[in-house]
Structure formats: structure tokens, C-alpha cells
Amino acid sequence: MKSKERATLSGIALAALLAPGLLVGGEVQALPEGVETVEVKPTSKDHPLDEIISGWQYRSPETQALQEDDFENPAFLWVEQGEELWSTVDGAANKSCASCHDDAADTMASVGANMPKWNKALDKPVNLEQQINLCRTEQMEAEPWKWESAQLLGMTAYVKNQSRGEPVSVQTDGPMKPWFDKGKELYYTRVGQLDMACSSCHEDYYGKQIRADMLSQGQTNGFPTYRFKWQKIGSLHRRFKGCMKNIRATPYKVGSDEFLALELYTAWRGQGLPVEAPAVRQ
């Protein structure tokens, strides 16, 4: 290697160390807004992966660029709607979310990183969408929002965005253990006419090309996510349904116990990754 080439590579390597980004194709790529890393090491000896990598790293430079800038990220249309709904009074109790939770930047700072979470009153875990609707029905005395409605997607995106940069950390012991075990079982169970499991793509072949897309590890730290295929933001459970349909299996319902257990297990698989929501994906 010529000395000039070595000097150029040394400069690139130094820039990669000093700048918050990744070295891709000889260029330092900026990371998503509010995120300092997209790759962490597992802390559990039982983790099936040697490295935990955000789906952002497997996207095209153009898609990455949309997520890098909040002004360009199309999902922020829903975040802005959620911000407006946060202080909108609704229901017989004449309350808004802000009535109880004040400034979301303070009170919701880690909420999105810790869901699903155990709900003692229901004797089961709930995810963020379910918790939002519980607040609406029990505290605001308002009607629950429908799954995938603009209101629920907007509020979920807004609340989750307050946790951006916070490491994913979910409880998997105690009362959550049976749910975690169920989610793990579902993750590795082959279903559908194609006889495939979640692990068939996201554990065995991540980083490989599938048609025009590249398989990721199926990490969930970016949900709710804007997908070009949907032309809108969507929930994690919608993505679960889509995956099951792709392998010609009968999908569970959004909000079902099966998808809730799967959400818990996949969140654990991404423990330590920073929340990116709302992410942008193909």
C-alpha cells in the first residue's frame, strides 16, 4: 500500500473514532438523531447473538439519512400529532395526559425503554399502546383508541420518542418469566406454509440480502416505525402480522397475548440498544 493511501486511511480511521458515526464504504456515516450507538454487546451469557445490531445499520444510505434528521424523518408528522394530543382534554374526567404526567420530556423519559411492563391490577404485562388506552379509560374516562389509528400511533410515537437514546431494558424475571418463555417459544416455532420461524431470518441469516432488501436482526428499538412499504408509521404488532403473512401463516391479532409475549422476548434480544423511535425502514 502506498504511503498516501495509508495516510488517507489513517485519517478516515481517526475521523471514525472522533465522530459519532460508522465507517461505511470509506465514509463516516452520521448516526440517527439522539442516538450514540447502533451496536452493543450482549450482557447475558444466555443471549443467542454475539452482537446486538440495530436495523438502522442494515438500511440503505438514503433511508439512514431520513432518520438522521428529525426535520426530514416523515414519522415526525405523527410525533407532532401526539404532542398535540398530550395536552388535549378528552373524556368525562375532563383530563388530558398532561393533567397527570405534566411535561412528557421528564415523566416519560424512560417509559418507552422499559415496555412491556408488568401490570399488577391486570395480572399480566402491558405494552405502550395498551398502557395509553388504560390511561384513557381509567383516568380520563375516555374511549380507547383503535390499534393503528392515527391517534394511538401518534401518542405512542410521541411517548416513545421521549426515551430516544435510552437503552432498552425490560424485566424478564418474576411474574414476567412465563411471558418471556412463551415469547421465546414463539420466536423459534416454525409456522405457516413456508415452515419458518422468526429466527429463520433474523438469527440465521441477518446481514444477507433477500430480494431487494437486507435482513436485519429484527430488533424492535425503533418502533413505532415509518416504513416506505406502508407509506405511514406502524406498530410493532403490525410488523409481526406482516411477517406471519409473508410466511403464509395465520397471524395473531394485534394486542394479543401471543404478540405481547413475542414483543417482550424481542425487546430482551435488543437489551442495551438505544431507543430510536420513530425509526425509518424500507
Side-chain angles (χ1 to χ4, degrees), residues 121-184:
L122 295 179
D123 195 35
K124 62 178 291 186
V126 296
N127 69 0
L128 187 53
E129 288 90 343
Q130 292 166 331
Q131 183 58 57
I132 288 169
N133 271 337
L134 282 171
C135 283
R136 285 186 57 78
T137 57
E138 295 181 0
Q139 305 301 324
M140 299 170 66
E141 299 179 38
E143 289 295 318
W145 286 321
K146 291 183 179 180
W147 210 285
E148 298 305 311
S149 66
Q151 296 94 330
L152 188 55
L153 286 169
M155 184 60 73
T156 306
Y158 176 66
V159 173
K160 194 77 175 282
N161 184 246
Q162 308 310 310
S163 298
R164 189 169 59 176
E166 289 291 313
V168 173
S169 179
V170 290
Q171 180 188 354
T172 58
D173 58 359
M176 297 288 270
K177 183 65 164 56
W179 292 81
F180 175 82
D181 291 342
K182 179 62 176 178
K184 181 178 181 179

Coordinates of all heavy atoms in Angstrom, one line a residue, residues 121-184:
A121 N -52.6 -4.9 38.5 CA -54.1 -5.0 38.5 C -54.6 -5.9 37.5 O -55.6 -6.6 37.8 CB -54.6 -3.6 38.3
L122 N -54.0 -6.0 36.3 CA -54.4 -6.9 35.3 C -53.8 -8.3 35.4 O -54.2 -9.2 34.7 CB -54.1 -6.3 33.9 CG -54.8 -5.0 33.5 CD1 -54.4 -4.5 32.1 CD2 -56.3 -5.2 33.5
D123 N -52.8 -8.4 36.2 CA -52.0 -9.7 36.4 C -51.5 -10.1 35.1 O -51.5 -11.3 34.7 CB -53.0 -10.7 37.0 CG -52.2 -11.9 37.5 OD1 -51.1 -11.7 38.1 OD2 -52.7 -13.1 37.4
K124 N -50.9 -9.2 34.3 CA -50.3 -9.5 33.0 C -49.4 -8.3 32.6 O -49.7 -7.2 33.1 CB -51.3 -9.9 32.0 CG -52.3 -8.7 31.7 CD -53.3 -9.1 30.6 CE -52.6 -9.2 29.2 NZ -53.6 -9.4 28.1
P125 N -48.5 -8.5 31.7 CA -47.8 -7.3 31.2 C -48.7 -6.5 30.2 O -49.6 -7.1 29.6 CB -46.6 -7.9 30.5 CG -47.0 -9.3 30.2 CD -48.0 -9.8 31.2
V126 N -48.3 -5.3 30.0 CA -48.9 -4.4 29.0 C -47.8 -3.7 28.3 O -46.8 -3.4 28.8 CB -49.9 -3.4 29.6 CG1 -51.1 -4.1 30.3 CG2 -49.2 -2.4 30.6
N127 N -48.1 -3.4 27.0 CA -47.1 -2.7 26.2 C -47.6 -1.2 26.2 O -48.5 -0.8 26.9 CB -46.9 -3.2 24.8 CG -48.2 -3.1 23.9 OD1 -49.2 -2.5 24.3 ND2 -48.1 -3.5 22.7
L128 N -46.9 -0.4 25.5 CA -47.1 1.1 25.5 C -48.5 1.4 25.0 O -49.2 2.3 25.5 CB -46.0 1.8 24.7 CG -46.0 3.3 24.8 CD1 -46.1 3.8 26.2 CD2 -44.8 3.9 24.1
E129 N -48.9 0.8 23.9 CA -50.2 1.1 23.3 C -51.3 0.7 24.3 O -52.3 1.5 24.5 CB -50.4 0.3 22.0 CG -49.6 0.8 20.8 CD -48.3 0.1 20.7 OE1 -47.8 -0.5 21.7 OE2 -47.7 0.1 19.6
Q130 N -51.2 -0.4 25.0 CA -52.2 -0.8 25.9 C -52.2 0.1 27.2 O -53.3 0.4 27.7 CB -51.9 -2.3 26.3 CG -52.2 -3.2 25.2 CD -51.6 -4.6 25.5 OE1 -50.6 -4.8 26.3 NE2 -52.2 -5.7 25.0
Q131 N -51.0 0.6 27.6 CA -51.0 1.5 28.7 C -51.6 2.8 28.4 O -52.3 3.4 29.3 CB -49.5 1.7 29.2 CG -49.4 2.5 30.4 CD -50.1 2.0 31.6 OE1 -49.9 0.8 32.0 NE2 -51.0 2.8 32.2
I132 N -51.4 3.3 27.2 CA -52.0 4.6 26.8 C -53.5 4.4 26.9 O -54.2 5.3 27.4 CB -51.6 4.9 25.4 CG1 -50.1 5.4 25.4 CG2 -52.4 6.0 24.8 CD1 -49.5 5.5 24.0
N133 N -54.1 3.3 26.4 CA -55.5 3.1 26.4 C -56.0 2.9 27.8 O -57.2 3.3 28.1 CB -55.9 2.0 25.4 CG -56.2 2.5 24.0 OD1 -56.5 3.7 23.8 ND2 -56.0 1.6 23.1
L134 N -55.2 2.3 28.7 CA -55.6 2.1 30.1 C -55.8 3.5 30.7 O -56.7 3.7 31.5 CB -54.6 1.3 30.8 CG -54.7 -0.3 30.6 CD1 -53.6 -1.0 31.2 CD2 -56.1 -0.8 31.2
C135 N -54.8 4.4 30.4 CA -54.9 5.7 31.0 C -56.1 6.4 30.5 O -56.8 7.2 31.2 CB -53.6 6.5 30.6 SG -52.2 6.1 31.6
R136 N -56.5 6.2 29.2 CA -57.6 6.9 28.7 C -58.9 6.4 29.3 O -59.8 7.2 29.7 CB -57.7 6.6 27.1 CG -56.7 7.5 26.4 CD -56.9 7.3 24.9 NE -58.2 7.7 24.4 CZ -58.6 8.9 24.3 NH1 -57.8 10.0 24.5 NH2 -59.9 9.2 23.8
T137 N -59.1 5.1 29.5 CA -60.3 4.6 30.0 C -60.4 4.7 31.5 O -61.5 5.0 32.0 CB -60.4 3.1 29.7 OG1 -59.3 2.3 30.2 CG2 -60.5 2.9 28.2
E138 N -59.3 4.6 32.3 CA -59.4 4.6 33.7 C -59.2 6.0 34.3 O -59.8 6.3 35.4 CB -58.3 3.6 34.3 CG -58.6 2.1 33.9 CD -57.6 1.2 34.5 OE1 -56.6 1.7 35.2 OE2 -57.7 0.0 34.3
Q139 N -58.3 6.8 33.7 CA -58.0 8.1 34.3 C -58.8 9.2 33.6 O -59.3 10.1 34.3 CB -56.5 8.4 34.2 CG -55.6 7.3 34.8 CD -55.9 7.1 36.3 OE1 -56.2 8.1 37.0 NE2 -55.8 5.9 36.7
M140 N -58.9 9.1 32.3 CA -59.6 10.2 31.6 C -61.1 9.9 31.4 O -61.8 10.8 31.0 CB -58.9 10.4 30.2 CG -57.4 10.8 30.3 SD -56.5 10.8 28.8 CE -57.4 12.1 27.9
E141 N -61.5 8.7 31.6 CA -62.8 8.2 31.3 C -63.2 8.5 29.8 O -64.3 9.0 29.5 CB -63.8 8.8 32.3 CG -63.6 8.5 33.7 CD -64.5 9.1 34.7 OE1 -65.7 9.2 34.3 OE2 -64.1 9.5 35.8
A142 N -62.2 8.2 29.0 CA -62.4 8.4 27.5 C -62.4 7.1 26.8 O -62.0 6.1 27.3 CB -61.3 9.3 27.0
E143 N -62.9 7.1 25.6 CA -62.9 5.9 24.8 C -61.5 5.5 24.4 O -60.6 6.4 24.1 CB -63.7 6.1 23.5 CG -65.2 6.3 23.7 CD -65.8 5.0 24.2 OE1 -65.4 3.9 23.7 OE2 -66.7 5.0 25.1
P144 N -61.1 4.2 24.4 CA -59.8 3.8 23.9 C -59.6 4.1 22.4 O -60.6 4.0 21.7 CB -59.8 2.3 24.3 CG -61.2 1.9 24.2 CD -62.0 3.1 24.8
W145 N -58.4 4.3 22.0 CA -58.2 4.5 20.6 C -58.0 3.1 20.0 O -57.4 2.2 20.6 CB -56.9 5.3 20.4 CG -57.1 6.8 20.7 CD1 -58.2 7.5 20.4 CD2 -56.2 7.6 21.3 NE1 -58.0 8.8 20.8 CE2 -56.7 8.9 21.4 CE3 -54.9 7.5 21.9 CZ2 -56.1 10.0 21.9 CZ3 -54.2 8.6 22.4 CH2 -54.8 9.8 22.4
K146 N -58.4 3.0 18.7 CA -58.2 1.7 18.0 C -56.7 1.5 17.6 O -56.0 2.5 17.4 CB -59.0 1.8 16.7 CG -60.5 1.7 17.0 CD -61.3 1.6 15.6 CE -62.8 1.5 15.9 NZ -63.6 1.5 14.6
W147 N -56.3 0.3 17.6 CA -55.0 -0.1 17.2 C -54.7 0.4 15.8 O -55.6 0.2 14.9 CB -54.8 -1.6 17.3 CG -53.4 -2.0 17.7 CD1 -52.3 -1.9 16.8 CD2 -52.8 -2.4 18.9 NE1 -51.1 -2.3 17.5 CE2 -51.5 -2.6 18.8 CE3 -53.4 -2.6 20.2 CZ2 -50.7 -3.1 19.8 CZ3 -52.6 -3.1 21.2 CH2 -51.3 -3.3 21.0
E148 N -53.6 1.0 15.6 CA -53.2 1.5 14.3 C -53.9 2.8 13.9 O -53.8 3.3 12.7 CB -53.3 0.5 13.1 CG -52.4 -0.7 13.3 CD -50.9 -0.4 13.5 OE1 -50.4 0.3 12.7 OE2 -50.3 -1.0 14.4
S149 N -54.8 3.3 14.8 CA -55.4 4.6 14.5 C -54.3 5.7 14.5 O -53.3 5.5 15.2 CB -56.5 4.9 15.5 OG -55.9 5.1 16.8
A150 N -54.6 6.8 13.9 CA -53.7 7.9 13.8 C -53.4 8.4 15.3 O -52.3 8.8 15.6 CB -54.2 9.0 13.0
Q151 N -54.4 8.4 16.1 CA -54.3 8.9 17.5 C -53.3 8.1 18.3 O -52.4 8.5 19.0 CB -55.6 9.1 18.2 CG -56.6 10.1 17.5 CD -57.5 9.4 16.5 OE1 -57.2 8.4 15.9 NE2 -58.7 10.0 16.4
L152 N -53.6 6.7 18.2 CA -52.8 5.8 19.1 C -51.3 5.8 18.5 O -50.4 5.7 19.3 CB -53.4 4.4 19.1 CG -52.7 3.5 20.1 CD1 -52.7 4.0 21.5 CD2 -53.4 2.1 20.1
L153 N -51.2 5.8 17.2 CA -49.8 5.8 16.6 C -49.1 7.0 17.0 O -47.9 7.0 17.3 CB -49.9 5.6 15.1 CG -50.3 4.2 14.6 CD1 -50.6 4.3 13.1 CD2 -49.1 3.2 14.9
G154 N -49.8 8.2 16.9 CA -49.2 9.4 17.2 C -48.8 9.5 18.7 O -47.6 10.0 19.0
M155 N -49.6 9.1 19.6 CA -49.3 9.2 21.0 C -48.2 8.2 21.4 O -47.3 8.5 22.1 CB -50.5 8.9 21.9 CG -50.3 9.0 23.4 SD -49.7 10.7 23.8 CE -51.3 11.6 23.6
T156 N -48.2 7.0 20.8 CA -47.2 6.0 21.0 C -45.8 6.6 20.5 O -44.8 6.4 21.2 CB -47.5 4.7 20.3 OG1 -48.8 4.3 20.7 CG2 -46.5 3.6 20.7
A157 N -45.8 7.1 19.3 CA -44.6 7.7 18.8 C -44.1 8.8 19.6 O -42.8 8.9 19.9 CB -44.8 8.2 17.3
Y158 N -44.9 9.7 20.1 CA -44.5 10.8 20.9 C -43.9 10.4 22.3 O -42.9 10.8 22.7 CB -45.7 11.7 21.2 CG -45.4 12.9 22.1 CD1 -44.6 13.9 21.7 CD2 -46.0 13.0 23.3 CE1 -44.3 15.0 22.5 CE2 -45.8 14.1 24.2 CZ -44.9 15.0 23.8 OH -44.6 16.1 24.6
V159 N -44.6 9.4 22.9 CA -44.1 9.0 24.2 C -42.8 8.2 24.0 O -41.9 8.4 24.8 CB -45.2 8.1 24.9 CG1 -44.6 7.4 26.2 CG2 -46.4 8.9 25.3
K160 N -42.8 7.3 23.0 CA -41.5 6.5 22.8 C -40.4 7.4 22.5 O -39.2 7.2 22.9 CB -41.8 5.5 21.7 CG -40.8 4.4 21.6 CD -41.0 3.4 22.6 CE -40.0 2.2 22.4 NZ -40.5 1.3 21.3
N161 N -40.6 8.5 21.7 CA -39.6 9.4 21.4 C -38.9 10.1 22.6 O -37.8 10.6 22.5 CB -40.1 10.5 20.4 CG -39.1 11.4 19.9 OD1 -39.1 12.6 20.1 ND2 -38.1 10.9 19.1
Q162 N -39.7 10.3 23.7 CA -39.1 10.9 24.9 C -38.0 10.0 25.4 O -37.1 10.5 26.2 CB -40.2 11.1 25.9 CG -41.4 11.8 25.5 CD -41.1 13.1 24.7 OE1 -40.3 14.0 25.2 NE2 -41.7 13.3 23.6
S163 N -38.0 8.7 25.1 CA -37.0 7.8 25.6 C -35.8 7.6 24.6 O -35.0 6.7 24.8 CB -37.6 6.4 25.9 OG -38.6 6.5 26.9
R164 N -35.8 8.3 23.5 CA -34.8 8.1 22.5 C -33.4 8.3 23.1 O -33.1 9.2 23.8 CB -35.0 9.1 21.3 CG -34.1 8.9 20.1 CD -34.5 9.7 18.9 NE -34.4 11.1 19.2 CZ -34.7 12.0 18.3 NH1 -35.0 11.6 17.0 NH2 -34.6 13.3 18.5
G165 N -32.6 7.3 22.8 CA -31.2 7.3 23.3 C -31.1 6.5 24.6 O -30.0 6.1 25.0
E166 N -32.2 6.2 25.3 CA -32.2 5.4 26.5 C -32.0 3.9 26.1 O -32.7 3.5 25.1 CB -33.5 5.6 27.3 CG -33.6 6.9 27.9 CD -32.6 7.1 29.1 OE1 -32.5 6.2 29.9 OE2 -32.0 8.2 29.1
P167 N -31.2 3.2 26.8 CA -31.0 1.7 26.5 C -32.3 0.9 26.8 O -32.9 1.1 27.8 CB -29.9 1.3 27.4 CG -29.9 2.3 28.5 CD -30.4 3.6 27.9
V168 N -32.6 0.0 25.9 CA -33.8 -0.9 26.1 C -33.5 -1.8 27.3 O -32.4 -2.3 27.4 CB -34.0 -1.8 24.8 CG1 -35.1 -2.8 25.1 CG2 -34.4 -0.9 23.7
S169 N -34.4 -1.8 28.2 CA -34.2 -2.6 29.4 C -35.6 -3.1 29.9 O -36.4 -2.3 30.4 CB -33.5 -1.8 30.5 OG -33.4 -2.6 31.7
V170 N -35.9 -4.4 29.8 CA -37.2 -4.9 30.2 C -37.0 -6.0 31.2 O -36.0 -6.7 31.3 CB -37.9 -5.5 28.9 CG1 -38.4 -4.4 28.0 CG2 -37.1 -6.5 28.2
Q171 N -38.0 -6.1 32.1 CA -38.0 -7.1 33.1 C -38.4 -8.5 32.5 O -39.3 -8.6 31.7 CB -39.0 -6.8 34.2 CG -39.0 -7.8 35.3 CD -40.2 -7.6 36.3 OE1 -40.9 -6.6 36.2 NE2 -40.3 -8.5 37.3
T172 N -37.6 -9.5 32.8 CA -37.9 -10.9 32.3 C -38.0 -11.9 33.4 O -38.3 -13.1 33.1 CB -36.8 -11.3 31.3 OG1 -35.5 -11.3 32.0 CG2 -36.8 -10.4 30.1
D173 N -37.8 -11.5 34.6 CA -37.9 -12.4 35.8 C -39.2 -12.2 36.5 O -40.1 -11.4 36.1 CB -36.7 -12.3 36.7 CG -36.6 -10.9 37.3 OD1 -37.4 -10.0 36.9 OD2 -35.7 -10.7 38.1
G174 N -39.4 -12.9 37.6 CA -40.6 -12.8 38.4 C -41.8 -13.1 37.6 O -41.8 -14.1 36.9
P175 N -42.9 -12.3 37.7 CA -44.1 -12.6 37.0 C -44.0 -12.5 35.5 O -44.8 -13.1 34.8 CB -45.1 -11.6 37.5 CG -44.3 -10.4 38.0 CD -43.0 -11.1 38.5
M176 N -42.9 -11.9 35.0 CA -42.7 -11.8 33.6 C -42.1 -13.0 33.0 O -42.2 -13.2 31.7 CB -41.8 -10.6 33.3 CG -42.3 -9.2 33.7 SD -43.7 -8.7 32.6 CE -42.8 -7.8 31.4
K177 N -41.6 -13.9 33.8 CA -40.9 -15.1 33.3 C -41.7 -16.0 32.4 O -41.3 -16.4 31.3 CB -40.3 -15.9 34.5 CG -39.4 -17.1 34.1 CD -38.2 -16.7 33.4 CE -37.1 -17.8 33.3 NZ -37.6 -19.0 32.7
P178 N -42.9 -16.3 32.8 CA -43.7 -17.2 31.8 C -44.0 -16.5 30.5 O -44.1 -17.2 29.5 CB -45.0 -17.4 32.6 CG -44.7 -17.2 34.1 CD -43.6 -16.1 34.0
W179 N -44.2 -15.2 30.5 CA -44.4 -14.5 29.3 C -43.2 -14.4 28.4 O -43.2 -14.6 27.2 CB -44.9 -13.0 29.6 CG -46.2 -13.0 30.2 CD1 -46.6 -13.2 31.5 CD2 -47.5 -12.8 29.5 NE1 -47.9 -13.2 31.7 CE2 -48.5 -12.9 30.5 CE3 -47.8 -12.5 28.2 CZ2 -49.9 -12.7 30.2 CZ3 -49.2 -12.3 27.9 CH2 -50.2 -12.4 28.9
F180 N -42.0 -14.3 29.1 CA -40.7 -14.3 28.4 C -40.5 -15.7 27.7 O -40.1 -15.8 26.6 CB -39.6 -14.0 29.3 CG -38.2 -14.1 28.7 CD1 -37.7 -13.1 28.0 CD2 -37.5 -15.3 28.9 CE1 -36.4 -13.2 27.4 CE2 -36.2 -15.4 28.4 CZ -35.7 -14.4 27.7
D181 N -40.8 -16.7 28.5 CA -40.6 -18.1 28.0 C -41.5 -18.3 26.8 O -41.2 -19.0 25.8 CB -40.9 -19.1 29.1 CG -39.8 -19.1 30.1 OD1 -38.7 -18.6 29.9 OD2 -40.1 -19.6 31.3
K182 N -42.8 -17.8 26.9 CA -43.7 -18.0 25.8 C -43.3 -17.3 24.6 O -43.4 -17.8 23.4 CB -45.1 -17.5 26.2 CG -46.2 -17.6 25.1 CD -46.4 -19.0 24.7 CE -47.6 -19.1 23.7 NZ -47.8 -20.5 23.3
G183 N -42.7 -16.1 24.7 CA -42.2 -15.3 23.6 C -41.1 -16.0 22.9 O -41.0 -16.0 21.7
K184 N -40.2 -16.6 23.7 CA -39.0 -17.3 23.2 C -39.5 -18.5 22.4 O -39.0 -18.8 21.3 CB -38.1 -17.7 24.3 CG -36.9 -18.5 23.9 CD -36.0 -18.8 25.0 CE -34.7 -19.6 24.6 NZ -33.8 -19.9 25.7

